[in-house]
Amino acid sequence: MRGILMRIGALLAPKVTAAAATCNSALTVDDFSKFSTNLNTLGEWTSDDSTMSSISAKSGVLSFTPKTNAYFYETFPCQAATENGYKSIQFTVKGPKGGSMNVELQSKTSCSASDFKSAIVPVTGLTGSTQTITLPLSSFPSSANTNAISGILWSGFSSNSAWELSNVKFGCTTDASTAPSATKDAVSTAPASQKSGTPSKDGSCAGTSGFNCLGWSEGECCSQYGWCGSTDGHCKTGCNALYGNCAGAASSPATKDVVSSTRTTLLTSTRTAPATTASASAPGTCSNLLIDDWVSQSRLTFLFYNAMLQPSSDDASMTSLVVGSPSPNHVTINPKDTSSYFYSQFDCVNAKNVYGGISLKIKAPKGTTFSIELDSSATCDPTKAVQVTVTTADLGWTFDGTEKLYSIPFNKFSGIDTGKLTTILFAGFTKSVSFGPMGFYCGNTGTEVKITTTSAVAGPSSTVAAPKGTAAALVIDKFAKADSNALGFWRGYDEGMKVTISGSKATIISQDADYSLYTQLSASCTDYTKYKGSYLHIAYSGSTAFSIALQQHNSKCDDSIAPYPETWDSLEASRYAKDGHIYIPMSHFNIELKRTIGLAIKGFYKADQVVLSTIEIVPSVPATHSIPNKLESGDLVFACKRPNSFAFAIDDGSPEYAQEVLKIVKEENIKVTFFTVGAPLLDESTNLTNVYREMEAAGHQIALHSYTHPKMEGLPDYASIDWEYKEDIDTVAKQFNGYHTNYFRPPFGNEGARMRQRLAQTLGAKPTITMWSVDVEDWLWAETDTPEEQLKAFERDVKKGGNLVVMHYLYPSTVGYLKQFIQIAKATGKQLMRVDQCMQDPDAPAL
């Protein structure tokens, strides 16, 4: 879970009314007997996502010490609680005397839905002794669907001292005296009283009239700005005194985030102290400070970083955030409704006497309105911040559908400490908008934050001779049949593509760079060396934004042996295309032609339609058609080359498991290779740089895995691809004392001609693009109730001859099986080593 936690939209589904069954006994969710495996009594995931200072279970009691913003949750198969006769959530707790916490019920619109919504009830007035809490399901906001409950979460702990939790159940009664722990205590579980105001009918809050947020799922209520803050300006009619410092109340402002059980790939913690600050500059020396240049979709919506490498997200409240739209260095924000929001954090920026505000270009339709919140924190903790909100009307902004520069002056935010700025948040969008680069501007007059862009360095563009071959023409496919080609072999495509075979044509639309259309050239190995002087010809119309790959069978010509295919080379269709025809010299495909097995049309990086009518091999090309030179595309490897070798190639995971991984590989006396994403190395809160320095010092190989983990071939242009490589290469060199490597693993295994060619261009050398022939399938099984399927997947691929592994140290179950993975590999009699060693790289350390 990222440092700023997830918040689901405020409009919750209505309760479902159904005839309730008779409840004969409580349903135990967790007796904490399986806590060491992160499983509860129902066999489902339970965790604190490392948000606690300490947590352990013994004799059925979970003991923990919360950090700021800590939480703990239980997941389970969707429960139709009311229909099954359950009336309450029951648990036993011991917390500090007078302490409080929040209990969140996570429910869906129906059990078949994928997303959940959150509803919270605060529990206050704890006794300091062990006591049973019974929360009637009816005590949760009426918008919670008690017939589709998928999780329970505890958060908002009032103290960082020791707590205990046990006996989590769905109860048959609302009477605490029937619970196992006999103490019935006067604990408040009702939402705090609301001040006078117009009751909200849908759980939302906004407006200068001060709607009363009765039933608001997250407890935040309501001022003229839409939520409470710590200043009097937030405390107009309708403010909930529990959240925010209203009318002098001593309570703290609510955070804007409610925890969800969704876990991101990289787990980071919230910063509580500044890492970098801006300080006063001499006149004329100030430069605008970039917050975000919207250069990378995956940086924003996969890693959740801005250009400062600080948390930035919409917490899934938007329909979409589209980077690069409507043009490079822009983002289009498409809200679901006015509850959608988007924030970007800073590392406690000191703007005093330096920056006068934040500026950005905005394009929005006429009549668009939204709000801007600015946060500051005396402790530099963005979750403990003063929040001040103004609207576009307050700033005098209007929109007319054209892009203009807009300024957000700090002097419009009364009560904000410009010496410790932490967050900007945009909310209440009435229409879709697009933002240009955003940053702090110097002085008191808003100026544009300029972005320096560089054009992609082009590769060699010369043409080569096109001599006539000697082999006769070979028709591969005229698309006369639905699922076989002109050679009588299979033709098919990946599920998810839209492919229509009709009228002797194949019409293809692909939304994903992972998808391919395949046509088989042989039942086994077929020797195509006679076509080395010939040309692959494809007649097409429409887009050429795809790759063409020629595949090579394995050395045994046996599709039951891993890897199958053994490799392939991908070439860029657009380089060889002219006037509806593509001609590629067969010699440009860097494979062993004597083991040719198939052809793939793949790596679609635009969703534009392409129509194919002919695929064939011909001896010559028209005189009007020039042939470009062959570009270096690297070595695509799925298996070790050294005889009798085996390599573990491990991708990024969670730093909390890194020491256990190092411990296991040390005990097993092996060396492995770690592929690391660049951007998180620069985020001190991940500690990944230190983790990998320790791994490197222990003799393990460090290799490249991109800067922000996108599908590389799916990126829109050379510049985007080059940016990923350059940033990654530079970061690894910076963090590891000038270290340089030519080994790269594509995120998601996504490969194509452009990403291969640009990698070679950027490295200035032939890269080893490292795939795999053994997949533990942690991405599929690690968080299910059958994590042992990872062992079965590993054994399956090893038995097929696979010797190059892909896995992540992201999940406790995967790390828990690592020793067994290694022992299974050792039992094959093969020698375990680093990837560069198993590739017989002359620069690799000696065995």
Side-chain angles (χ1 to χ4, degrees):
M1 188 66 60
R2 294 202 60 78
I4 285 293
L5 306 175
M6 303 285 284
R7 178 169 79 171
I8 303 301
L11 299 181
L12 304 185
K15 273 192 174 180
V16 177
T17 303
T22 301
C23 180
N24 295 317
S25 62
L27 174 65
T28 298
V29 175
D30 207 344
D31 61 8
F32 298 101
S33 61
K34 301 179 181 179
F35 181 74
S36 62
T37 64
N38 284 103
L39 298 178
N40 57 28
T41 304
L42 299 177
E44 297 295 323
W45 185 266
T46 179
S47 180
D48 69 320
D49 287 342
S50 301
T51 62
M52 302 288 182
S53 295
S54 63
I55 187 167
S56 61
K58 184 178 181 181
S59 301
V61 177
L62 183 72
S63 302
F64 56 91
T65 303
K67 299 177 186 176
T68 301
N69 246 12
Y71 56 89
F72 175 78
Y73 59 86
E74 302 275 3
T75 63
F76 35 77
C78 187
Q79 298 293 320
T82 299
E83 289 183 9
N84 291 327
Y86 300 117
K87 297 180 180 179
S88 61
I89 301 294
Q90 296 179 348
F91 56 90
T92 302
V93 67
K94 181 179 180 181
K97 185 173 183 179
S100 63
M101 61 185 172
N102 292 330
V103 179
E104 173 186 329
L105 199 66
Q106 297 175 343
S107 65
K108 306 178 181 182
T109 55
S110 68
C111 280
S112 62
S114 57
D115 296 331
F116 66 79
K117 310 285 185 175
S118 301
I120 290 178
V121 166
V123 175
T124 61
L126 297 179
T127 64
S129 302
T130 301
Q131 59 191 115
T132 295
I133 305 296
T134 298
L135 301 179
L137 295 179
S138 59
S139 70
F140 288 89
S142 60
S143 48
N145 184 2
T146 57
N147 277 324
I149 302 173
S150 59
I152 306 169
L153 181 144
W154 292 261
S155 65
F157 301 100
S158 60
S159 169
N160 294 335
S161 58
W163 293 67
E164 293 180 356
L165 180 68
S166 59
N167 298 317
V168 181
K169 299 182 178 185
F170 282 97
C172 297
T173 177
T174 59
D175 184 357
S177 63
T178 62
S181 179
T183 306
K184 184 176 180 181
D185 302 288
V187 176
S188 169
T189 60
S193 60
Q194 310 287 331
K195 292 191 177 182
S196 61
T198 306
S200 169
K201 298 184 184 302
D202 62 1
S204 64
C205 59
T208 56
S209 60
F211 295 137
N212 184 318
C213 290
L214 190 61
W216 174 247
S217 66
E218 298 171 29
E220 296 178 34
C221 206
C222 253
S223 67
Q224 59 192 351
Y225 301 118
W227 53 69
C228 278
S230 60
T231 64
D232 290 342
H234 284 77
C235 295
K236 303 293 184 180
T237 302
C239 199
N240 181 342
L242 183 64
Y243 296 89
N245 188 12
C246 298
S251 51
S252 301
T255 61
K256 297 181 293 302
D257 305 280
V258 171
V259 179
S260 99
S261 61
T262 303
R263 283 174 293 282
T264 57
T265 298
L266 294 167
L267 311 179
T268 67
S269 59
T270 303
R271 290 174 176 80
T272 57
T276 58
T277 60
S279 58
S281 302
T285 64
C286 177
S287 298
N288 289 356
L289 177 63
L290 179 67
I291 298 170
D292 211 334
D293 51 6
W294 321 115
V295 74
S296 167
Q297 183 77 49
S298 51
R299 186 180 70 189
L300 181 63
T301 58
F302 183 77
L303 296 181
F304 306 103
Y305 286 140
N306 57 26
M308 292 177 152
L309 294 184
Q310 296 294 302
S312 183
S313 179
D314 68 327
D315 289 343
S317 68
M318 298 284 179
T319 298
S320 63
L321 295 172
V322 185
V323 172
S325 171
S327 59
N329 297 116
H330 286 72
V331 62
T332 293
I333 298 171
N334 297 306
K336 291 178 182 177
D337 50 46
T338 54
S339 69
S340 300
Y341 62 92
F342 170 77
Y343 68 83
S344 201
Q345 281 186 28
F346 334 122
D347 208 356
C348 205
V349 169
N350 178 6
K352 285 185 176 180
N353 304 316
V354 184
Y355 304 116
I358 292 171
S359 65
L360 70 166
K361 284 190 171 181
I362 302 174
K363 181 180 179 180
K366 183 178 180 180
T368 300
T369 60
F370 53 90
S371 63
I372 303 100
E373 174 194 310
L374 199 61
D375 296 358
S376 65
S377 171
T379 61
C380 292
D381 182 348
T383 67
K384 296 180 178 179
V386 173
Q387 305 154 356
V388 179
T389 303
V390 301
T391 66
T392 50
D394 295 333
L395 294 173
W397 291 3
T398 58
F399 305 99
D400 61 7
T402 63
E403 185 176 73
K404 298 177 182 177
L405 182 67
Y406 292 84
S407 300
I408 306 169
F410 295 148
N411 60 18
K412 294 288 187 178
F413 295 80
S414 177
I416 281 293
D417 179 0
T418 58
K420 293 183 177 180
L421 296 172
T422 59
T423 308
I424 187 168
L425 182 144
F426 302 89
F429 294 94
T430 56
K431 298 179 183 179
S432 294
V433 302
S434 67
F435 286 176
M438 176 172 64
F440 293 86
Y441 61 82
C442 298
N444 297 321
T445 303
T447 55
E448 182 181 357
V449 180
K450 298 289 187 179
I451 302 299
T452 302
T453 59
T454 56
S455 299
V457 177
S461 58
S462 59
T463 59
V464 295
K468 187 174 182 178
T470 58
L474 175 68
V475 176
I476 296 171
D477 209 339
K478 289 283 191 177
F479 302 100
K481 297 181 180 180
D483 55 8
S484 62
N485 59 28
L487 301 175
F489 298 120
W490 171 82
R491 182 204 329 109
Y493 53 88
D494 288 323
E495 183 179 354
M497 299 177 72
K498 182 179 180 181
V499 178
T500 304
I501 309 295
S502 177
S504 297
K505 293 180 180 180
T507 302
I508 305 170
I509 298 177
S510 175
Q511 303 283 347
D512 195 312
D514 270 341
Y515 296 154
S516 301
L517 179 143
Y518 309 92
T519 190
Q520 196 169 338
L521 303 182
S522 170
S524 181
C525 291
T526 296
D527 190 349
Y528 270 51
T529 53
K530 65 181 178 180
Y531 296 113
K532 190 170 184 179
S534 299
Y535 303 85
L536 178 68
H537 170 231
I538 299 177
Y540 76 95
S541 63
S543 173
T544 58
F546 58 88
S547 298
I548 302 163
L550 195 62
Q551 301 168 327
Q552 172 186 310
H553 211 319
N554 58 46
S555 60
K556 301 294 185 181
C557 297
D558 184 348
D559 60 13
S560 68
I561 293 176
Y564 168 72
E566 185 175 78
T567 190
W568 59 79
D569 197 9
S570 296
L571 302 181
E572 189 177 356
S574 61
R575 294 190 71 238
Y576 297 86
K578 181 181 179 182
D579 299 332
H581 296 274
I582 298 169
Y583 288 96
I584 303 175
M586 292 291 285
S587 61
H588 280 201
F589 291 104
N590 184 26
I591 68 166
E592 291 189 30
L593 290 174
K594 65 182 179 181
R595 286 196 265 142
T596 303
I597 182 64
L599 185 75
I601 309 298
K602 64 191 306 288
F604 298 89
Y605 56 95
K606 294 182 181 178
D608 299 340
Q609 175 178 288
V610 58
V611 179
L612 307 181
S613 56
T614 300
I615 302 178
E616 61 185 348
I617 297 175
V618 296
S620 61
V621 302
T624 57
H625 200 103
S626 59
I627 300 297
N629 59 302
K630 159 69 175 173
L631 297 181
E632 176 62 62
S633 55
D635 193 8
L636 183 71
V637 296
F638 291 81
C640 291
K641 297 179 179 180
R642 183 186 296 271
N644 207 41
S645 64
F646 193 104
F648 278 82
I650 304 174
D651 293 356
D652 266 335
S654 175
E656 65 187 295
Y657 304 124
Q659 293 302 319
E660 181 65 15
V661 171
L662 279 173
K663 176 176 174 286
I664 292 169
V665 296
K666 182 177 181 180
E667 290 173 350
E668 294 294 327
N669 193 30
I670 67 169
K671 295 293 185 284
V672 303
T673 296
F674 293 97
F675 288 90
T676 179
V677 177
L681 294 173
L682 299 174
D683 179 353
E684 292 180 1
S685 69
T686 69
N687 196 42
L688 280 171
T689 288
N690 291 329
V691 165
Y692 285 117
R693 284 173 180 166
E694 185 174 357
M695 292 173 175
E696 184 184 27
H700 303 292
Q701 181 188 7
I702 307 300
L704 305 170
H705 196 36
S706 81
Y707 187 65
T708 70
H709 207 275
K711 291 184 177 180
M712 293 297 302
E713 191 62 25
L715 294 174
D717 48 42
Y718 286 171
S720 300
I721 297 172
D722 290 357
W723 181 85
E724 280 287 336
Y725 289 140
K726 185 178 184 303
E727 293 296 317
D728 194 24
I729 292 166
D730 289 350
T731 297
V732 168
K734 175 183 177 182
Q735 301 300 92
F736 301 110
N737 196 30
Y739 177 74
H740 183 84
T741 177
N742 295 331
Y743 287 80
F744 176 81
R745 172 166 277 171
F748 309 102
N750 178 243
E751 172 271 348
R754 296 180 312 140
M755 61 80 59
R756 294 176 66 165
Q757 293 164 182
R758 301 311 295 181
L759 178 58
Q761 173 79 19
T762 307
L763 286 171
K766 182 177 182 178
T768 299
I769 301 166
T770 310
M771 305 296 266
W772 56 85
S773 49
V774 179
D775 184 357
V776 306
E777 296 181 349
D778 47 10
W779 52 272
L780 180 62
W781 301 111
E783 296 187 286
T784 70
D785 56 2
T786 56
E788 67 276 6
E789 292 292 332
Q790 297 171 93
L791 272 175
K792 295 179 183 178
F794 187 89
E795 289 178 313
R796 174 201 66 211
D797 289 350
V798 170
K799 286 178 180 178
K800 291 170 69 174
N803 58 19
L804 182 54
V805 177
V806 63
M807 62 171 287
H808 308 77
Y809 60 96
L810 183 59
Y811 312 104
S813 63
T814 309
V815 175
Y817 288 129
L818 178 56
K819 184 178 284 289
Q820 289 173 265
F821 293 152
I822 295 171
Q823 291 170 349
I824 291 168
K826 285 182 174 180
T828 66
K830 296 176 180 176
Q831 185 177 3
L832 276 61
M833 60 190 69
R834 297 166 27 148
V835 170
D836 55 354
Q837 293 170 325
C838 93
M839 294 301 165
Q840 297 181 306
D841 188 331
D843 294 326
L847 293 175

